[in-house]
Structures are given as structure tokens and as C-alpha cells.
Amino acid sequence: MKRKILLSAAIAIFATAHLYAQKRVSPGIRAGVNVTTLSNINADFKTDFYAGGILSLHLGQRYTLQPELVYTRQGANHVVFVDDETGQPNGEENVTIQYLSLGVINKFYFVEGFHGLIGPSLDMKIGKNFPRIDFDDDDYGGVDLGIAFGLGYTLPFGLTVEGRFKTGLLDAFNNDYFLGMFDDPDDVSLNRVFQIGVSYSF
């Protein structure tokens, strides 16, 4: 029995060492530029940034699962507000919404270094700046759901260059979890995010 236990422990240790030797698990960081806007609203694109950590799980020769935790600044510039009674423009404002985004990205490698990616995210609102919009968000968590896809290239020493497009699935101005899923898509304002940046795996 003891021999079996020792043998099992030795196999487990060898397998773990082999995984790390092959860099199957690689922590890292990612950061870059956000170019964002909001759907179904009169506004200009906003340029800001994102930054956070990643954990790359190399589960196959052509597949990597990459959980991410990223701070991201989104929104839009020169958002035009319309008076509900007259239907006429009633001023404009730059809108900034800050999220802590928990994503799970699936990477599929075509050839050496080049990959496509797709994955969902759960974005928790941690800050906002749109005082002209009158609503109470204390009853909800300020959550958005998102889906991202894009392309990238990983250099041999661990640096990756990526471009992504991400869309929100819930209304950015109303925190009801179901708004944006079951309502008329023309009546909600969804986050639209273009990301260009780099990541580095240690």
C-alpha cells in the first residue's frame, strides 16, 4: 500500500513539474487603449484605457483558456440628451463608466503565434460620471454582461499584441439585470468597446 501511495505521489509530482516545465500555466498582465461608445445614442467615441491581470492555461497545442481580471474605463463623449417632453436636445456631457471586468477568453491558434479569441465577461460597475441622468442604481449591482472577440499574435518571448471588439448585453444606464435581454434593442444603450493593446506572460 505504501509503495502505491509513494508511486502515486511521485507521478503527481512529476506531472506537476512537467506542466510547469512546459509552461502550461502562465500568469501575466495586459493593458492598452479603449475606444468606446454607446449604442442607440447621439455621441462621439471616447478614448481611455484598460489594465489588469491574466492567467493563461495552455490546455492544448492550439488552445489556451485565459481568465482575466481587468479594470476598464468606458463610455462616450459629447452624449446629447433629449428632453422627454419636447423631444429636443437638452445639452450634452462626456460619460465615463468604470468597470472591473472578469472575463474568460478562449484562444485558438491558427499557425505559430497567430490566434483568434472569443469569450464572455461579467463587468461590475465601480464608478460612473453622468450626473445629468436621473436614476437610482442603489437597488442593483451595476452589472453588465459582455462578449468579446478578436485577433492577436504572440511573440516567442511571451509578449502578445491583440485587437478586440467587445459589446455589452445589458443597458449601460439602467442596472436591471434583464434590461437589454428582453427589451427592444432600439430602446437600450449598450457598451461598444474596441481594444488595442498588449499582454505579457511570465
Side-chain angles (χ1 to χ4, degrees), residues 88-185:
Q88 298 300 313
N90 185 24
E92 63 179 42
E93 182 178 298
N94 294 336
V95 170
T96 299
I97 313 175
Q98 304 170 57
Y99 292 98
L100 191 62
S101 177
L102 177 61
V104 180
I105 297 299
N106 300 274
K107 290 186 174 182
F108 302 94
Y109 289 84
F110 310 124
V111 294
E112 188 68 25
F114 286 100
H115 61 269
L117 62 91
I118 186 170
S121 67
L122 174 65
D123 301 343
M124 295 157 283
K125 188 183 294 179
I126 58 174
K128 60 184 177 63
N129 175 32
F130 34 90
R132 286 178 60 89
I133 302 175
D134 183 20
F135 72 91
D136 183 7
D137 64 355
D138 293 335
D139 295 333
Y140 303 99
V143 173
D144 191 13
L145 300 177
I147 183 76
F149 54 90
L151 295 170
Y153 179 75
T154 301
L155 296 167
F157 56 89
L159 183 70
T160 297
V161 180
E162 282 184 349
R164 299 185 185 184
F165 172 73
K166 177 179 175 181
T167 181
L169 302 176
L170 303 181
D171 191 281
F173 295 131
N174 189 315
N175 293 309
D176 189 336
Y177 298 130
F178 299 106
L179 193 65
M181 283 187 172
F182 303 112
D183 283 17
D184 186 340

Side-chain angles (χ1 to χ4, degrees), residues 34 48-53 69-73 98-101 126:
N34 280 340
D48 221 306
F49 75 95
Y50 68 90
L69 185 62
V70 175
Y71 169 75
T72 176
R73 292 171 61 89
Q98 304 170 57
Y99 292 98
L100 191 62
S101 177
I126 58 174

